[in-house]
Amino acid sequence: LVPSFFVAALSFAIGTLSGSMKAVYIAVTALLVAWFLVVEVLGDQNLRWLAYVEPSGQAWLAERVAKGRGNAWLNANPIRPDAGLLINRAVLAALGVAALAWTLRRWRGGLSSSEFGGEIRSGPLTRLLRWTLGRQEALEDRYSDWVGRGAVPRVETARPGPRAWLVQLFGSLRTELRLLGAERSLWIMVPMIMLLAGVDSVSHVGPFSVRVYPVSSEFAQQMVPILLILLSGTTIFYTGEVFHRDDDAGVRGILYASPVSNSALLLGKLGAMVLLSATMVLLTVATAVVSQAVQWKLIDGRSYLDLVPYAAIGSRVVLPAVLFLCVSSLVANVLVRGRYVGYFVCLIAGAGYVWLLVEGRRSLLVNPFALGHWAYSDLTGLGPFAQRLAWHHLYWGAVLAAALALA
């Protein structure tokens, strides 16, 4: 309760005083990233003093309660907070109350700033009072007394052909990328994917508790499963948002009436999703490289950098999976013509794929991610599986091309 109150009070204060939702996203994400980095850099030997500092209380449970005790003792004895934890909770509660008090003191309740237009409007209580008294704010119509002459501009239609189609495609792609970049949820999703898939939480310890050097081949292979799971969720969600955004904004009819090819509009949406997913992959790889370098530095102070495994696995395993996710999600939304029905179809297909993997049916004909059909080695790379992966990419590429043509 206390940590949740502290984070909620801090977020409320930042959002209220700054008037920006992005500031809240940045602050909470920075707090989470800072916590992960502190735990990663300090290591297990320094968690004892950190137990009384960190806000969640997990380190206190691990160091002061559960350390050196078995499950039988933990199940039979109640957990009693000590003085250090109580002081920690009191400080967090005091900081939360102080943030709320400062917000109430500094917030100007009579004015509210519009995030998009920048206008200053009266507060809700003032507007309600004016409405009750019949004194609504006067709306100014700038064009009621306008006198002038308007002319319809003359334009020349472009000649149909590959060049005009490419111009439409790149214009659609730029527009979709700008709209995707304005998605506020990306301020949370991208750092979460970077941390969960890029930061290696596996303890590299060999015989006799000797630290084992984490090499790039191990880092790159351990990154793939969790990265594909997270990319599946984000691709399904954002593809639905991208495809059905035109309906929400009420501009789909205008788009259909404009002289733009439907294929250019559809491929623009697909290209934006592929670039977004590829950017997430690159940022995750960068996070993994930094995490690996930090672990090497902590072992013996040396630096280590080998990007070959990341490049091989990323180009021949992860990026084909990204193309499959983006194309299949877009085709599903086109065919069902409904956002939530599209989500449901994608989730059912994903559940069916997981069921096939659990049952051991991993044939490449029904395995678009090629899970279980490759492994990276520092000696041979992906060489022993190169031909198998090439046929796999060719087969699923033909399937996706047919599905995209149908859409």
Side-chain angles (χ1 to χ4, degrees), residues 89-402:
R89 305 293 98 169
V91 170
L92 288 180
L95 290 176
V97 172
L100 291 178
W102 179 255
T103 303
L104 294 176
R105 180 179 178 84
R106 299 289 299 176
W107 182 58
R108 296 176 298 171
L111 298 176
S112 59
S113 175
S114 174
E115 183 176 355
F116 300 99
E119 309 93 353
I120 301 298
R121 302 179 58 195
S122 302
L125 295 179
T126 304
R127 294 199 304 271
L128 178 61
L129 180 61
R130 286 178 176 175
W131 180 82
T132 305
L133 299 177
R135 301 174 183 175
Q136 291 87 351
E137 290 182 290
L139 298 178
E140 180 183 359
D141 187 358
R142 300 179 180 179
Y143 298 98
S144 58
D145 299 327
W146 180 79
V147 177
R149 183 178 180 182
V152 178
R154 295 181 179 180
V155 296
E156 295 183 3
T157 58
R159 295 180 180 179
R163 183 175 181 180
W165 185 84
L166 287 176
V167 171
Q168 296 171 1
L169 174 62
F170 286 114
S172 174
L173 179 61
R174 285 194 301 269
T175 303
E176 295 294 343
L177 287 176
R178 281 201 304 268
L179 294 174
L180 266 179
E183 287 283 349
R184 298 169 179 172
S185 55
L186 288 176
W187 292 85
I188 293 293
M189 293 305 303
V190 173
M192 288 297 295
I193 292 177
M194 292 169 57
L195 290 173
L196 294 177
V199 176
D200 184 23
S201 60
V202 178
S203 179
H204 297 273
V205 179
F208 306 105
S209 299
V210 177
R211 294 289 298 273
V212 177
Y213 290 94
V215 294
S216 296
S217 57
E218 292 296 326
F219 255 72
Q221 292 183 89
Q222 293 173 6
M223 176 187 70
V224 171
I226 184 65
L227 179 59
L228 291 181
I229 293 174
L230 295 175
L231 284 178
S232 300
T234 56
T235 302
I236 291 173
F237 173 76
Y238 286 113
T239 302
E241 294 297 313
V242 165
F243 183 77
H244 298 285
R245 184 194 298 118
D246 302 332
D247 285 330
D248 296 339
V251 298
R252 183 175 295 277
I254 300 176
L255 291 176
Y256 285 158
S258 61
V260 180
S261 172
N262 291 340
S263 60
L265 295 175
L266 192 63
L267 291 179
K269 297 178 183 295
L270 175 61
M273 283 304 308
V274 171
L275 289 178
L276 174 64
S277 300
T279 302
M280 291 184 181
V281 172
L282 292 177
L283 292 176
T284 303
V285 170
T287 307
V289 170
V290 173
S291 176
Q292 184 184 6
V294 169
Q295 293 196 26
W296 272 73
K297 207 73 174 178
L298 293 176
I299 292 176
D300 61 2
R302 290 190 298 169
S303 300
Y304 170 81
L305 180 62
D306 184 11
L307 299 179
V308 174
Y310 294 106
I313 294 176
S315 61
R316 304 178 71 176
V317 177
V318 179
L319 287 184
V322 166
L323 287 175
F324 172 81
L325 287 171
C326 295
V327 174
S328 58
S329 300
L330 185 63
V331 169
N333 281 276
V334 171
L335 296 181
V336 301
R337 297 290 179 177
R339 173 182 300 176
Y340 300 108
V341 179
Y343 291 157
F344 178 76
V345 170
C346 292
L347 292 177
I348 290 297
Y353 178 55
V354 172
W355 179 80
L356 290 175
L357 295 178
V358 172
E359 292 293 322
R361 303 176 183 180
R362 302 190 177 189
S363 171
L364 289 176
L365 297 177
V366 292
N367 191 353
F369 294 163
L371 296 179
H373 290 274
W374 65 272
Y376 188 88
S377 171
D378 288 321
L379 295 178
T380 60
L382 291 173
F385 310 96
Q387 186 176 4
R388 183 184 305 178
L389 290 176
W391 282 107
H392 171 269
H393 298 340
L394 183 63
Y395 166 74
W396 282 104
V399 172
L400 293 179

